[in-house]
Amino acid sequence: MFTIKKVINRTFQLLLIAALLTLPVYAQEDAWTYTTTDEHPGEQVTLSPQEYAEDRNPPKSLEDLDPMEPVNRWIFEFNEFFDFILFNPVGFVYRTILPEELRIRVGYILRNISEPIVFVNNLLQGNVEDARITLARLVVNSTIGIGGIFDVSSSLDLPYKREDFGLTLASWGVSPGPYIVLPILGPSTLRDTCGRIGDYAFDPVNWWAFFDDKAYYSYGRTALQIIDAKADSHQIMKELEKGTLDYYATIRAWYIERRKALARKELAGDNTETPHPDDED
Amino acid sequence: MLRKIFFTVTVLLFCLQTTASALDPKKAELFMEDIGDKVISILANSHLSIEQRRSQFKEILDTKFNLRAIGKFVLGRHWKEATQEEQELFLSLFKSTTIANYASRFQEYTTEKFEVLSSRLEKDGGVTVLTQIIRSSGQKITIDWKIFEKEKELRIYDVALEGISMGITQRSEFSAVIQNAGGKIRGLLEALKAKVQGLTQTGQIQTEHPEYEQ
């Protein structure tokens, strides 16, 4: 008992330190502007000092972003175990009773319900064009698409673009902070954990559920989201695990890289940290 | 007069140099289209055994990728710490795990469509070709390929799935394995050896009972 308490205490201490270290006090002071030559030639691109620094001096290795690795590995093992005893059997039943076509529909409905919080995040990021698209998607899919069962919008050139509060924080210049494995929910960073809480708290659909005394709805939706996501990625994750030497390290790298790619959006024009002919010599 | 000639020659030399070092994005797109067609034809051919499939992927890997550069990048700072013997062993193991991995992984993907979307010249002289795979469920996966030209030959140097660079993620994974083995590259080599054996075995089991694989 004593040791568990110690681990929890230590984790909170580290979390607090990490939170203080990643406070966005120096974000957006003065921005760097340069002209791109890649995707949109001649366009001015403005980066916050932090993004600029990250752009020029990428962190040496991903391990540096994981100061709590022993605790994270422990929670990761716990999650694997939890998958084994709960989510894998549930997912198996889910995949067995629902044909793939229907599972895709469930995914669309869940995505349609999440559209309002995407809209909120579009606005928080100051991206009016995306906000317009998200709103149009929500209206079209909820009516013509019958509550989101059919993704009519995508065929009307209104593509779905994922946004969350973690990405909004990123657009404000908040760095990811340390990598954290959340119990049950899985890989995250300090920034994305705050983002998750923000998304949950500001989701208009959750507000509606809360004031309409339908709290069970939020839980049900969250549970269904987890099951849907796990059923969707089940095959890929299995393949991935089979091919790796260190599953934990691979998931960590995939998560961090994926979030980086989502956060930089079309600014991705500077893809130079790759193998290079000079490596050969 | 002499000055003018000197100037023209300098300009000419400069032009030649830039055309030699920077790769034409259109050329890289055609190169990727060709590879896409090849892979699709391998996948579409259901008569191939896993062994034949593996040997065809090996050929693509040998002729279209620069595995030496990728291997070196993926080993990161540990490359310099390794002896020459360890480096060579690593490269051969890296190659066989990559082949075993993808040959077994591609088995499930039979009805995919591969499309080249666009390309862009990077600051380091390479070209990123943006492509997408459309799965049978309609799901789209974007794949970016980093291509360089060296000695008139185009080669793939990195693959990014949905923005996730395989080079960076594998470097991180290998570094974690080495770290857990007490900083010894031997630990990684042993793990890779075990993986190759494991993958070749499961590959055989898979061909016998594809649908029971849970």
Side-chain angles (χ1 to χ4, degrees):
Chain A
M1 267 338 259
F2 176 66
T3 46
I4 291 175
K5 212 170 164 185
K6 219 164 105 183
V7 168
I8 292 172
N9 266 333
R10 188 95 185 104
T11 313
F12 270 100
Q13 275 171 16
L14 282 168
L15 268 175
L16 194 68
I17 294 166
L20 288 173
L21 284 175
T22 50
L23 267 184
V25 278
Y26 45 87
Q28 299 267 309
E29 273 168 3
D30 57 336
W32 290 81
T33 302
Y34 69 88
T35 310
T36 56
T37 48
D38 316 307
E39 272 195 308
H40 308 284
E43 197 177 274
Q44 294 275 307
V45 173
T46 307
L47 294 177
S48 72
Q50 200 164 355
E51 280 171 312
Y52 186 82
E54 267 180 15
D55 208 37
R56 294 291 159 251
N57 314 299
K60 280 281 169 285
S61 67
L62 297 177
E63 295 86 83
D64 298 343
L65 299 173
D66 192 5
M68 296 176 290
E69 188 172 334
V71 180
N72 279 340
R73 275 190 190 267
W74 193 79
I75 301 172
F76 188 79
E77 288 299 316
F78 167 79
N79 285 351
E80 288 284 289
F81 174 70
F82 212 73
D83 272 355
F84 179 71
I85 60 160
L86 182 68
F87 287 116
N88 286 355
V90 169
F92 179 74
V93 172
Y94 183 72
R95 287 195 310 277
T96 313
I97 57 173
L98 277 191
E100 194 187 2
E101 184 54 33
L102 282 180
R103 274 185 276 131
I104 293 171
R105 299 293 150 216
V106 171
Y108 281 167
I109 294 171
L110 286 170
R111 204 162 77 176
N112 192 51
I113 302 172
S114 73
E115 226 65 91
I117 188 67
V118 173
F119 176 72
V120 171
N121 279 302
N122 289 147
L123 289 183
L124 287 173
Q125 291 174 24
N127 197 336
V128 182
E129 179 56 20
D130 276 359
R132 189 190 64 78
I133 292 174
T134 308
L135 191 63
R137 278 185 61 87
L138 178 65
V139 171
V140 171
N141 282 351
S142 302
T143 52
I144 307 171
I146 320 172
I149 299 173
F150 301 98
D151 188 3
V152 188
S153 302
S154 287
S155 45
L156 292 174
D157 207 21
L158 293 168
Y160 175 73
K161 247 198 258 168
R162 182 209 164 114
E163 281 303 338
D164 55 54
F165 195 53
L167 297 176
T168 299
L169 289 172
S171 79
W172 292 350
V174 181
S175 61
Y179 177 73
I180 302 170
V181 181
L182 298 173
I184 298 165
L185 297 170
S188 193
T189 56
L190 186 64
R191 179 189 71 201
D192 293 341
T193 305
C194 297
R196 259 182 186 279
I197 298 166
D199 277 331
Y200 198 82
F202 290 109
D203 192 333
V205 183
N206 284 342
W207 280 78
W208 163 81
F210 181 75
F211 284 113
D212 222 20
D213 211 14
K214 291 190 180 70
Y216 62 86
Y217 161 81
S218 293
Y219 304 133
R221 174 182 165 203
T222 308
L224 196 56
Q225 269 172 338
I226 295 174
I227 293 165
D228 173 61
K230 289 206 190 260
D232 196 35
S233 60
H234 180 75
Q235 192 67 34
I236 297 168
M237 297 313 262
K238 239 176 44 205
E239 286 295 325
L240 186 64
E241 184 172 8
K242 212 163 64 183
T244 58
L245 303 172
D246 186 335
Y247 192 39
Y248 171 84
T250 304
I251 296 284
R252 177 177 65 192
W254 279 57
Y255 182 80
I256 294 172
E257 285 299 304
R258 174 79 181 130
R259 293 299 289 183
K260 225 194 266 170
L262 284 172
R264 70 180 171 228
K265 301 198 180 72
E266 64 272 7
L267 290 178
D270 202 7
N271 180 22
T272 50
E273 204 201 349
T274 60
H276 193 274
D278 297 342
D279 281 333
E280 213 184 334
D281 314 310
Chain B
M1 187 61 191
L2 204 65
R3 215 168 171 187
K4 213 171 176 181
I5 291 172
F6 180 70
F7 178 74
T8 334
V9 169
T10 324
V11 168
L12 265 175
L13 274 176
F14 186 72
C15 289
L16 278 175
Q17 204 174 16
T18 45
T19 46
S21 64
L23 166 64
D24 178 17
K26 280 282 165 267
K27 211 166 137 192
E29 280 185 34
L30 287 174
F31 172 73
M32 265 331 293
E33 257 162 35
D34 176 51
I35 295 175
D37 290 345
K38 265 201 184 113
V39 174
I40 293 284
S41 77
I42 297 175
L43 293 179
N45 189 349
S46 51
H47 301 299
L48 290 179
S49 71
I50 179 129
E51 269 318 312
Q52 286 169 315
R53 208 169 255 204
R54 193 170 286 159
S55 77
Q56 299 213 10
F57 275 117
K58 185 175 177 301
E59 200 209 312
I60 292 181
L61 217 57
D62 276 335
T63 55
K64 307 292 179 192
F65 287 76
N66 189 333
L67 275 186
R68 195 179 169 82
I70 297 172
K72 205 176 156 186
F73 175 87
V74 157
L75 206 53
R77 63 187 171 84
H78 300 289
W79 178 266
K80 281 195 186 122
E81 296 161 11
T83 63
Q84 202 172 2
E85 190 194 339
E86 284 173 332
Q87 288 176 349
E88 292 309 317
L89 183 58
F90 168 75
L91 285 176
S92 88
L93 282 169
F94 177 61
K95 191 164 136 186
S96 30
T97 38
T98 310
I99 293 166
N101 235 331
Y102 284 95
S104 68
R105 199 173 289 180
F106 274 121
Q107 275 187 311
E108 287 99 48
Y109 309 131
T110 43
T111 50
E112 322 274 92
K113 236 196 267 170
F114 179 82
E115 286 175 356
V116 173
L117 301 174
S118 64
S119 58
R120 61 163 184 257
L121 190 64
E122 302 288 357
K123 284 175 189 131
D124 53 12
V127 167
T128 303
V129 178
L130 294 90
T131 68
Q132 72 178 13
I133 283 180
I134 305 169
R135 303 189 62 185
S136 47
S137 61
Q139 194 192 6
K140 287 173 185 163
I141 303 168
T142 59
I143 308 182
D144 304 343
W145 311 79
K146 185 73 179 282
I147 294 162
F148 283 98
E149 185 172 27
K150 196 188 177 189
E151 286 148 15
K152 304 233 175 220
E153 213 180 20
L154 296 178
R155 292 276 176 140
I156 300 168
Y157 282 75
D158 196 22
V159 185
L161 299 174
E162 296 284 338
I164 307 168
S165 151
M166 295 298 107
I168 292 178
T169 51
Q170 275 201 312
R171 185 174 64 184
S172 170
E173 181 195 359
F174 288 175
S175 146
V177 174
I178 293 172
Q179 209 172 19
N180 286 339
K184 289 196 178 67
I185 197 162
R186 279 273 142 210
L188 175 66
L189 297 176
E190 295 297 323
L192 279 172
K193 235 179 248 173
K195 200 82 215 175
V196 176
Q197 276 162 7
L199 279 171
T200 347
Q201 274 159 18
T202 48
Q204 277 156 3
I205 291 163
Q206 255 190 359
T207 41
E208 282 160 29
H209 312 282
E211 55 271 50
Y212 296 117
E213 219 264 317
Q214 186 37 92

